[in-house]
Amino acid sequence: MKTKDLFWPGFVGLLTCMFVVMLVMFCLSFKVYSGKTATIVNQNSRLMAVEKEYLRGKRINGAVEALRKDTIFDYLPSGNRFIIRPLKSKELFERNEATLKTEYLKELVNAGHALQNFLQRQHSKYVEIPFLLIIEGNVDENYDNSLTKEKNAWSQLSYQRGLAVYQLWNNAGIDFQKYGVELLIAGKATGSVMSSEEKGHVFFSIRLLPKITIE
C-alpha cells in the first residue's frame, strides 16, 4: 500500500515538472519568435521607406529633367540652376541698378507663365512632391563696373534684381505658391555664376529643388 500511495503523488509531481518545463520552453520560444518577428517587421518597414524614397527621388528627377528639356529654359550644370534661353547674354537690367529694361519685359513674363504652367503640370502629377523655387539675382562685375565691390552693396543689388523679377511676375498674375511651391528670393554677391566654359551675362537665375520634409 505504501508503494501505491507514493506512486500517484510522484506521478503528479512529474507531470507538474513537465508542465513547468514545457511552459518555460514555450515562453522562451515565444520570446525568440517575437524578437525575430519584430526584427522582420522593422526590416520590412525600412525597406518600404527606402522604396518610398527611391520612387520619390525618381519622380523628382523626372520632374526636374522635364524642365531641363523645356524650350524656354537652359540648364547650367555649374550652378545647378536655370536661365531663360531667349534672354541669355542679354543685359536685362540698367547698369548698376535693379531696374528691368522695358524691351525684355514681355519675354520675362512669357517665361514666368511657362514656369507656372510647368509647375502646375508637375503638381497635378506629383502632388506629394513640394518644390522650393529660388529666384536668385546677380551682378556682373564687368557690366556693373561703377558699383563699389563691397560685399553689402553687391548683396543688396543682386537681391533687388531677384526681387524685381518676382514682382514683375507677381504683377502679371503669376502665382507659383498655389501649386505647393515655396518661394525664396535670393541674391548672389560674388559676381557672375557662370563657369569659364559658359559665356554671357547671368543677371538672374532660378533653382528648382525638392523640399526636404522630416517625418
Side-chain angles (χ1 to χ4, degrees), residues 85-147:
R85 181 175 299 167
L87 298 179
K88 185 177 180 179
S89 303
K90 304 294 184 181
E91 297 173 349
L92 303 180
F93 293 89
E94 299 292 344
R95 193 182 300 270
N96 306 310
E97 295 181 9
T99 304
L100 286 161
K101 293 184 177 181
T102 55
E103 59 263 38
Y104 301 124
L105 297 183
K106 183 177 179 180
E107 287 181 285
L108 281 166
V109 170
N110 290 339
H113 282 297
L115 180 59
Q116 178 180 242
N117 292 336
F118 168 82
L119 291 170
Q120 182 182 16
R121 292 194 300 271
Q122 298 308 312
H123 182 69
S124 63
K125 289 171 61 177
Y126 309 123
V127 67
E128 79 281 9
I129 303 178
F131 283 102
L132 171 64
L133 176 65
I134 303 175
I135 303 175
E136 185 177 84
N138 192 30
V139 296
D140 185 280
E141 55 188 346
N142 296 318
Y143 183 70
D144 300 307
N145 49 22
S146 67
L147 183 70

Side-chain angles (χ1 to χ4, degrees), residues 10-11 33 40-41 44 49 68 95 104 111 116 121 127 130 143 148 170 178 181 186 190 195 212 214:
F11 182 71
Y33 175 78
I40 292 172
V41 170
N44 187 52
R68 293 182 187 181
R95 193 182 300 270
Y104 301 124
Q116 178 180 242
R121 292 194 300 271
V127 67
Y143 183 70
T148 174
N170 186 59
K178 65 182 179 181
V181 176
T190 56
S195 66
I212 304 299
I214 301 176

